Amino acid sequence: PKGLHYGNFVRFTCSGDNQYNDLATIFFNTQDDAIRNLFSSEMDQEYSPAALMTFFCFFFLLAVITYGISVPSGLFVPSILCGAAYGRLVGMLMTSITGNIEIKEGTYALLGAASFIGGAMRMTVSMCVILLELTNNLSLLPLIMLVLLVSKATADVTGILPIYDLHIHIKKVPLLEASAERYFRHLTASDAKSNKCVSFARVEKVGFIVDVLKSCNHNGFPVVDIHATDSNGQEQSSLLGVVLRNHLLVVLKKKLSFMNDPNDVIAPLVAFQYDSTEFMKPISSKGMKLSEIGLTDEELEMYIDLSQFVNTSSYTVQEDMSLAKVHQLFRGLGLRHLCIVPKPNEILGIITRKDLLPHHIEEHYPEVKHISRSTSYANLSKSPSFGSFSK
């Protein structure tokens, strides 16, 4: 073809020196060169309709297959290529219908890529900026904006979710939206809690822990300390905290905290025999599995004091807390689980912002001054010009 090209044509099985295979030029080039060729408007009849249709069908099928498997292939560039292919086909169709040879097929390819991404991903503003950066042609801004808005509106009318949201639902990932539903304000934390709560006692038998880990896939388990019965003959219990699944697996594998009798006491120095890195969350793997731990029948009859491995500062909420605030806690703090406790009967005190200032803490506990990170703020807060704090 006549016109300006980028020198990345592929001859494939062509015999002549000035010949190229249009289908091989798209398939056997890098994706950025393929996009550059499809967006090009300086060449006439660069691709045949059969080559574009074949490329679109095969590449769309390959994009669907690779996106559904665990391969970091991405979907953004394949969407641009598929949209550019059918957009250029529409440009050829308009040329044949109107007979106007001044129609630029590359412009239709650009608009086709915008419509494909706008409909599949519902991306409007960001996609508009990206396409303008690719073409460096501000005169196409109104057309790109119009195509993006129309494609997004058409896709919204169909009721089909965007491809990323749809895949989240298929994978059943519990992704919370930025804002809670309106009816969350009329519900409490107790209304949404799990009906079956799997918990452990402070001292638990090894065999029972293994059975629980086999029967469920929970990541965290509340640990409850059961006290003596009250005057009404009911057992009193208090929440010690939450112990994680991978922490239990480490304890079962090391076997350092096993006790023959539930009333035994583990020496405090045993905790120093654990490596802190063993309790860290694995980065590149799923971590330790229960099947990798070998326990004898005698070890299954032994006991573990879980109070040494409990996160005593785990987040808890009252049973009557608004479900909308619970949603905010999960979103803001990145929580995975949250314990719900009954409404307390008494109050121990209240904390304000002033109580968290370093100099205020140092006044009550002078022994912590030598580990303070900085004394500049404390000296500033005590100066007369700085003013005073009030609750």
Side-chain angles (χ1 to χ4, degrees):
K2 299 179 180 180
L4 178 65
H5 63 85
Y6 297 95
N8 51 13
F9 292 123
V10 178
R11 290 178 58 185
F12 198 54
T13 57
C14 298
S15 58
D17 294 335
N18 295 326
Q19 296 178 351
Y20 74 97
N21 189 304
D22 53 353
L23 183 59
T25 300
I26 314 177
F27 264 117
F28 300 146
N29 254 323
T30 59
Q31 292 184 345
D32 54 343
D33 287 338
I35 293 175
R36 192 180 295 112
N37 281 338
L38 289 173
F39 284 175
S40 175
S41 299
E42 304 297 333
M43 301 185 66
D44 299 330
Q45 300 178 354
E46 183 174 356
Y47 299 102
S48 64
L52 291 176
M53 181 61 69
T54 304
F55 172 77
F56 173 77
C57 295
F58 276 92
F59 209 82
F60 181 80
L61 180 62
L62 291 175
V64 171
I65 294 176
T66 55
Y67 187 68
I69 60 179
S70 300
V71 174
S73 58
L75 197 63
F76 191 78
V77 175
S79 298
I80 293 180
L81 285 170
C82 292
Y86 81 71
R88 202 170 182 97
L89 278 171
V90 174
M92 292 180 179
L93 179 63
M94 295 300 296
T95 302
S96 61
I97 293 177
T98 61
N100 186 3
I101 60 175
E102 298 297 328
I103 293 179
K104 296 183 178 181
E105 299 173 359
T107 302
Y108 278 86
L110 176 66
L111 298 179
S115 65
F116 195 96
I117 294 182
M121 305 180 186
R122 311 294 203 275
M123 298 175 62
T124 53
V125 178
S126 58
M127 190 59 210
C128 183
V129 174
I130 292 172
L131 291 178
L132 287 178
E133 289 289 339
L134 288 176
T135 58
N136 197 21
N137 189 354
L138 289 177
S139 62
L140 296 176
L141 177 61
L143 287 176
I144 295 176
M145 292 176 60
L146 178 62
V147 168
L148 287 172
L149 292 176
V150 172
S151 61
K152 182 181 183 302
T154 304
D156 290 338
V157 169
T158 61
I160 302 176
L161 293 174
I163 180 63
Y164 295 127
D165 296 355
L166 186 62
H167 207 69
I168 289 174
H169 284 271
I170 294 175
K171 291 291 185 180
K172 297 181 180 180
V173 178
L175 181 65
L176 298 179
E177 299 293 339
S179 58
E181 298 290 343
R182 292 184 178 179
Y183 58 83
F184 277 30
R185 302 176 184 177
H186 306 286
L187 299 175
T188 62
S190 180
D191 297 328
K193 71 178 185 300
S194 176
N195 295 326
K196 183 180 180 181
C197 180
V198 182
S199 61
F200 292 125
R202 182 180 63 84
V203 179
E204 199 65 78
K205 183 178 288 188
V206 176
F208 179 74
I209 296 177
V210 173
D211 293 338
V212 170
L213 295 179
K214 288 181 178 179
S215 60
C216 67
N217 296 323
H218 297 174
N219 180 66
F221 302 91
V223 178
V224 180
D225 189 12
I226 301 177
H227 307 290
T229 58
D230 56 8
S231 58
N232 297 327
Q234 297 180 351
E235 291 184 346
Q236 295 179 344
S237 61
S238 59
L239 178 66
L240 295 181
V242 175
V243 60
L244 298 181
R245 184 185 189 88
N246 59 322
H247 293 181
L248 290 175
L249 294 176
V250 172
V251 175
L252 293 176
K253 184 177 181 180
K254 300 287 286 188
K255 305 177 183 179
L256 298 175
S257 301
F258 287 7
M259 303 182 301
N260 293 321
D261 189 87
N263 297 322
D264 291 345
V265 178
I266 296 295
L269 295 178
V270 174
F272 293 95
Q273 301 182 26
Y274 290 96
D275 189 358
S276 60
T277 58
E278 296 176 340
F279 294 94
M280 297 175 62
K281 184 178 180 180
I283 299 177
S284 59
S285 63
K286 294 184 178 181
M288 191 184 308
K289 297 181 180 179
L290 185 61
S291 58
E292 301 174 358
I293 302 174
L295 296 172
T296 62
D297 294 338
E298 183 180 355
E299 291 171 341
L300 293 175
E301 297 298 326
M302 301 179 74
Y303 297 86
I304 299 178
D305 188 355
L306 298 178
S307 60
Q308 306 176 45
F309 313 101
V310 168
N311 178 17
T312 57
S313 59
S314 60
Y315 290 95
T316 60
V317 297
Q318 298 180 20
E319 59 181 346
D320 57 349
M321 185 177 186
S322 173
L323 193 58
K325 292 186 177 181
V326 174
H327 182 277
Q328 294 177 3
L329 285 177
F330 273 91
R331 284 278 303 178
L333 301 177
L335 301 181
R336 186 167 181 175
H337 30 62
L338 189 64
C339 293
I340 302 174
V341 296
K343 193 172 183 179
N345 298 324
E346 59 182 9
I347 182 172
L348 299 179
I350 189 171
I351 296 179
T352 64
R353 290 178 180 267
K354 176 186 175 182
D355 299 325
L356 298 179
L357 294 177
H359 81 275
H360 187 272
I361 302 295
E362 293 170 3
E363 288 179 357
H364 291 81
Y365 304 98
E367 63 274 10
V368 301
K369 288 185 178 181
H370 69 283
I371 58 176
S372 177
R373 290 180 297 177
S374 175
T375 58
S376 59
Y377 186 81
N379 296 332
L380 178 64
S381 61
K382 293 178 182 179
S383 62
S385 60
F386 193 75
S388 59
F389 297 96
S390 63
K391 293 187 179 183

